[in-house]
Amino acid sequence: MSTPIITAVELAMVARLRLGLGKMVRSVETYGGELDDDSDEVIRRFPAAWVTFGGVRDTQPTATSREKWKAEALFAVMVGARSVRNEQTARHGGPALHEVGTNTLIYAVRRLLSQQDLGLPVRHLAPGRIRTLRHVLLDREAFSCYALEFHTAWVEEVLQNGRFPDQVGDGQPDDVFGRYDGQLGVPDPDWLHTGLNYYLQPDDGKPDAQDLITHGSNP
């Protein structure tokens, strides 16, 4: 089964951050709404990072044929840190090794991801905005969260007008249609013959000789 490019980028970002951040964080995961919850369980996971797809902001044809389109996409990495001292320590870090601080995480994430293509057919990640998500004091414990944006792009091939995807083997992007019983296209007929016409001078518009090349055999 082929992995959609959006999923592939998300997972590649997670994998690189897990390796690069090391013990700066307790975990790096794809985002599942964790920061929408102020529960103690979520806060105890800090310092942590999450990766999510932020959408496609624009798509433009790459040629006049309009058979290929470039999708401009946004991904985000959210980082969170906490401190039993105060909100400033949650951002700046503290004397203990686990008090890494969100400012350090911001630096480290941008350092690891900027100008990386992650081994995928995408434009190198370009760092974008950094947005404050929240700075909260909850039950005498402060935590700080930011979202870091990264921009990339990839090229998508489109179907000819009115056509459905062809039947393909496993592991190719369009295999999803066959696996879920989607409508598939009718394959193009085999190319059986090539005709060559020869014209002598002066050319009267009528071929003076012809060759017919047969490819394969007729059914």
Side-chain angles (χ1 to χ4, degrees):
M1 180 176 117
S2 176
T3 301
I5 189 64
I6 295 170
T7 304
V9 173
E10 273 194 358
L11 296 179
M13 291 173 70
V14 167
R16 182 168 173 84
L17 290 177
R18 282 177 178 169
L19 289 173
L21 293 178
K23 295 181 179 179
M24 275 186 269
V25 293
R26 295 187 179 211
S27 66
V28 181
E29 307 291 344
T30 56
Y31 186 61
E34 288 84 354
L35 296 180
D36 297 334
D37 187 355
D38 290 338
S39 69
D40 291 341
E41 180 183 352
V42 173
I43 296 172
R44 280 197 298 268
R45 299 182 192 177
F46 288 4
W50 294 267
V51 176
T52 189
F53 173 56
V56 170
R57 57 179 179 159
D58 190 28
T59 306
Q60 295 291 334
T62 61
T64 55
S65 65
R66 295 180 176 266
E67 293 180 353
K68 296 183 178 181
W69 293 68
K70 183 171 69 173
E72 298 282 347
L74 171 69
F75 290 82
V77 179
M78 288 159 284
V79 296
R82 67 188 176 107
S83 173
V84 296
R85 304 173 194 275
N86 51 50
E87 186 269 335
Q88 177 176 296
T89 305
R91 291 183 290 110
H92 294 181
L97 188 63
H98 67 274
E99 294 181 299
V100 61
T102 48
N103 290 357
T104 297
L105 292 178
I106 289 170
Y107 166 78
V109 168
R110 283 165 68 92
R111 179 72 167 152
L112 289 169
L113 292 182
S114 297
Q115 201 55 23
Q116 301 296 315
D117 69 4
L118 308 170
L120 297 170
V122 299
R123 191 175 66 206
H124 295 76
L125 294 173
R129 296 188 306 164
I130 299 174
R131 296 183 290 109
T132 302
L133 292 181
R134 57 177 61 184
H135 299 308
V136 177
L137 181 63
L138 185 67
D139 295 333
R140 302 181 188 177
E141 196 164 19
F143 67 93
S144 170
C145 302
Y146 288 89
L148 291 65
E149 296 182 355
F150 292 89
H151 301 275
T152 187
W154 56 77
V155 174
E156 300 174 350
E157 294 189 11
V158 300
L159 295 168
Q160 293 180 359
N161 185 34
R163 291 201 61 168
F164 288 95
D166 293 333
Q167 177 72 53
V168 295
D170 292 342
Q172 298 186 46
D174 278 352
D175 70 356
V176 64
F177 299 101
R179 286 188 291 111
Y180 288 95
D181 294 327
Q183 175 68 51
L184 297 176
V186 177
D188 292 328
D190 293 335
W191 192 339
L192 300 177
H193 306 287
T194 299
L196 299 175
N197 293 329
Y198 301 93
Y199 298 88
L200 302 177
Q201 297 297 329
D203 183 2
D204 60 2
K206 298 180 180 180
D208 297 284
Q210 292 180 314
D211 276 335
L212 183 64
I213 303 173
T214 301
H215 307 274
S217 59
N218 288 313

